[in-house]
Short mmCIF file of all heavy atoms in Angstrom, two decimals:
data_model
loop_
_atom_site.label_atom_id
_atom_site.label_comp_id
_atom_site.label_asym_id
_atom_site.label_seq_id
_atom_site.Cartn_x
_atom_site.Cartn_y
_atom_site.Cartn_z
N LYS X 61 23.93 -36.11 -50.40
CA LYS X 61 24.22 -36.64 -51.74
C LYS X 61 23.09 -36.34 -52.71
O LYS X 61 23.11 -36.80 -53.84
CB LYS X 61 24.47 -38.14 -51.67
CG LYS X 61 25.72 -38.52 -50.90
CD LYS X 61 25.96 -40.00 -50.93
CE LYS X 61 27.23 -40.33 -50.15
NZ LYS X 61 27.47 -41.80 -50.08
N LYS X 62 22.11 -35.59 -52.25
CA LYS X 62 21.01 -35.09 -53.09
C LYS X 62 19.97 -36.14 -53.45
O LYS X 62 19.10 -35.90 -54.29
CB LYS X 62 21.53 -34.41 -54.37
CG LYS X 62 22.53 -33.29 -54.11
CD LYS X 62 21.88 -32.16 -53.34
CE LYS X 62 22.83 -31.01 -53.17
NZ LYS X 62 22.28 -29.95 -52.32
N PHE X 63 20.06 -37.34 -52.81
CA PHE X 63 19.00 -38.31 -53.10
C PHE X 63 17.73 -37.90 -52.38
O PHE X 63 17.75 -37.53 -51.19
CB PHE X 63 19.39 -39.70 -52.57
CG PHE X 63 20.28 -40.45 -53.52
CD1 PHE X 63 21.61 -40.66 -53.25
CD2 PHE X 63 19.75 -40.96 -54.69
CE1 PHE X 63 22.40 -41.35 -54.12
CE2 PHE X 63 20.54 -41.67 -55.58
CZ PHE X 63 21.88 -41.84 -55.28
N LEU X 64 16.63 -37.95 -53.10
CA LEU X 64 15.31 -37.68 -52.51
C LEU X 64 14.66 -39.02 -52.16
O LEU X 64 14.36 -39.82 -53.03
CB LEU X 64 14.42 -36.94 -53.51
CG LEU X 64 14.48 -35.42 -53.50
CD1 LEU X 64 13.99 -34.88 -54.82
CD2 LEU X 64 13.65 -34.87 -52.38
N LYS X 65 14.41 -39.22 -50.88
CA LYS X 65 13.84 -40.52 -50.43
C LYS X 65 12.50 -40.27 -49.74
O LYS X 65 12.41 -39.42 -48.87
CB LYS X 65 14.79 -41.23 -49.47
CG LYS X 65 16.11 -41.63 -50.12
CD LYS X 65 17.04 -42.29 -49.13
CE LYS X 65 16.51 -43.62 -48.66
NZ LYS X 65 17.49 -44.34 -47.83
N ILE X 66 11.53 -41.08 -50.12
CA ILE X 66 10.23 -40.94 -49.50
C ILE X 66 10.28 -41.45 -48.07
O ILE X 66 10.97 -42.43 -47.77
CB ILE X 66 9.13 -41.64 -50.30
CG1 ILE X 66 7.75 -41.31 -49.74
CG2 ILE X 66 9.38 -43.18 -50.33
CD1 ILE X 66 6.61 -41.74 -50.63
N MET X 67 9.61 -40.75 -47.18
CA MET X 67 9.53 -41.19 -45.77
C MET X 67 8.14 -41.68 -45.42
O MET X 67 7.94 -42.78 -44.93
CB MET X 67 9.91 -40.03 -44.85
CG MET X 67 11.28 -39.45 -45.09
SD MET X 67 11.55 -37.97 -44.11
CE MET X 67 11.63 -38.65 -42.45
N PHE X 68 7.16 -40.81 -45.66
CA PHE X 68 5.78 -41.12 -45.27
C PHE X 68 4.81 -40.60 -46.33
O PHE X 68 5.11 -39.68 -47.05
CB PHE X 68 5.40 -40.42 -43.96
CG PHE X 68 6.26 -40.78 -42.79
CD1 PHE X 68 7.25 -39.93 -42.34
CD2 PHE X 68 6.04 -41.98 -42.09
CE1 PHE X 68 8.03 -40.24 -41.24
CE2 PHE X 68 6.83 -42.31 -41.02
CZ PHE X 68 7.81 -41.44 -40.58
N SER X 69 3.62 -41.20 -46.30
CA SER X 69 2.51 -40.64 -47.07
C SER X 69 1.21 -40.84 -46.30
O SER X 69 1.02 -41.88 -45.67
CB SER X 69 2.39 -41.33 -48.44
OG SER X 69 1.25 -40.87 -49.13
N TYR X 70 0.39 -39.81 -46.33
CA TYR X 70 -0.94 -39.84 -45.68
C TYR X 70 -1.99 -39.59 -46.73
O TYR X 70 -1.82 -38.75 -47.62
CB TYR X 70 -1.02 -38.76 -44.61
CG TYR X 70 -0.59 -39.19 -43.26
CD1 TYR X 70 0.74 -39.45 -42.98
CD2 TYR X 70 -1.50 -39.35 -42.21
CE1 TYR X 70 1.16 -39.84 -41.73
CE2 TYR X 70 -1.11 -39.74 -40.96
CZ TYR X 70 0.23 -39.99 -40.72
OH TYR X 70 0.62 -40.38 -39.47
N ASN X 71 -3.09 -40.30 -46.59
CA ASN X 71 -4.27 -40.05 -47.43
C ASN X 71 -5.46 -39.81 -46.53
O ASN X 71 -5.82 -40.69 -45.75
CB ASN X 71 -4.51 -41.21 -48.39
CG ASN X 71 -5.70 -40.93 -49.31
OD1 ASN X 71 -6.83 -41.30 -49.01
ND2 ASN X 71 -5.43 -40.32 -50.41
N ASN X 72 -6.05 -38.64 -46.65
CA ASN X 72 -7.19 -38.30 -45.77
C ASN X 72 -6.90 -38.59 -44.30
O ASN X 72 -7.71 -39.24 -43.61
CB ASN X 72 -8.44 -39.04 -46.20
CG ASN X 72 -9.23 -38.27 -47.23
OD1 ASN X 72 -9.29 -37.03 -47.18
ND2 ASN X 72 -9.82 -38.97 -48.15
N LYS X 73 -5.78 -38.14 -43.85
CA LYS X 73 -5.33 -38.23 -42.47
C LYS X 73 -4.90 -39.63 -42.05
O LYS X 73 -4.57 -39.86 -40.90
CB LYS X 73 -6.40 -37.72 -41.49
CG LYS X 73 -6.85 -36.29 -41.72
CD LYS X 73 -7.62 -35.75 -40.54
CE LYS X 73 -8.90 -36.50 -40.31
NZ LYS X 73 -9.60 -36.04 -39.09
N GLU X 74 -4.88 -40.59 -42.98
CA GLU X 74 -4.47 -41.93 -42.62
C GLU X 74 -3.12 -42.27 -43.24
O GLU X 74 -2.88 -42.01 -44.43
CB GLU X 74 -5.50 -42.94 -43.09
CG GLU X 74 -6.77 -42.91 -42.25
CD GLU X 74 -7.64 -44.13 -42.49
OE1 GLU X 74 -7.12 -45.18 -42.91
OE2 GLU X 74 -8.84 -44.00 -42.24
N LEU X 75 -2.25 -42.90 -42.45
CA LEU X 75 -0.94 -43.29 -42.93
C LEU X 75 -1.06 -44.41 -43.95
O LEU X 75 -1.66 -45.44 -43.70
CB LEU X 75 -0.09 -43.75 -41.75
CG LEU X 75 1.35 -44.17 -42.05
CD1 LEU X 75 2.18 -42.96 -42.51
CD2 LEU X 75 1.98 -44.83 -40.82
N ILE X 76 -0.49 -44.20 -45.15
CA ILE X 76 -0.55 -45.25 -46.17
C ILE X 76 0.84 -45.71 -46.61
O ILE X 76 0.97 -46.82 -47.14
CB ILE X 76 -1.36 -44.80 -47.41
CG1 ILE X 76 -0.80 -43.50 -48.01
CG2 ILE X 76 -2.82 -44.63 -47.07
CD1 ILE X 76 -1.44 -43.16 -49.35
N ILE X 77 1.85 -44.92 -46.43
CA ILE X 77 3.22 -45.31 -46.74
C ILE X 77 4.09 -44.96 -45.55
O ILE X 77 4.05 -43.84 -45.06
CB ILE X 77 3.79 -44.61 -48.00
CG1 ILE X 77 3.00 -45.03 -49.25
CG2 ILE X 77 5.27 -44.94 -48.18
CD1 ILE X 77 3.40 -44.27 -50.49
N ASN X 78 4.85 -45.93 -45.09
CA ASN X 78 5.81 -45.70 -44.00
C ASN X 78 7.07 -46.46 -44.37
O ASN X 78 7.12 -47.69 -44.22
CB ASN X 78 5.21 -46.18 -42.67
CG ASN X 78 6.12 -45.86 -41.49
OD1 ASN X 78 7.27 -45.42 -41.69
ND2 ASN X 78 5.64 -46.08 -40.31
N GLU X 79 8.03 -45.74 -44.92
CA GLU X 79 9.26 -46.38 -45.28
C GLU X 79 10.07 -46.70 -44.01
O GLU X 79 9.64 -46.40 -42.91
CB GLU X 79 10.07 -45.47 -46.19
CG GLU X 79 9.43 -45.29 -47.55
CD GLU X 79 9.34 -46.60 -48.33
OE1 GLU X 79 10.38 -47.07 -48.80
OE2 GLU X 79 8.21 -47.13 -48.46
N THR X 80 11.23 -47.32 -44.17
CA THR X 80 12.01 -47.74 -43.01
C THR X 80 12.65 -46.53 -42.38
O THR X 80 13.85 -46.27 -42.55
CB THR X 80 13.07 -48.77 -43.43
OG1 THR X 80 13.79 -48.24 -44.55
CG2 THR X 80 12.44 -50.07 -43.80
N VAL X 81 11.83 -45.77 -41.69
CA VAL X 81 12.28 -44.56 -41.04
C VAL X 81 12.31 -44.84 -39.54
O VAL X 81 11.40 -45.47 -39.00
CB VAL X 81 11.28 -43.40 -41.33
CG1 VAL X 81 11.65 -42.14 -40.60
CG2 VAL X 81 11.25 -43.14 -42.84
N PRO X 82 13.35 -44.37 -38.81
CA PRO X 82 13.39 -44.60 -37.36
C PRO X 82 12.11 -44.08 -36.69
O PRO X 82 11.55 -43.07 -37.11
CB PRO X 82 14.62 -43.78 -36.91
CG PRO X 82 15.48 -43.67 -38.12
CD PRO X 82 14.55 -43.65 -39.30
N ASN X 83 11.72 -44.74 -35.63
CA ASN X 83 10.47 -44.33 -34.99
C ASN X 83 10.62 -43.03 -34.22
O ASN X 83 9.68 -42.58 -33.54
CB ASN X 83 9.86 -45.43 -34.14
CG ASN X 83 10.82 -45.91 -33.08
OD1 ASN X 83 11.83 -45.28 -32.79
ND2 ASN X 83 10.53 -47.07 -32.50
#
Side-chain angles (χ1 to χ4, degrees):
Chain X
K61 294 182 180 177
K62 304 297 184 186
F63 277 109
L64 271 158
K65 295 178 67 172
I66 189 168
M67 300 173 70
F68 301 103
S69 175
Y70 270 69
N71 182 268
N72 271 324
K73 303 195 296 176
E74 287 194 24
L75 181 66
I76 56 172
I77 295 173
N78 184 352
E79 292 296 287
T80 51
V81 176
N83 57 15

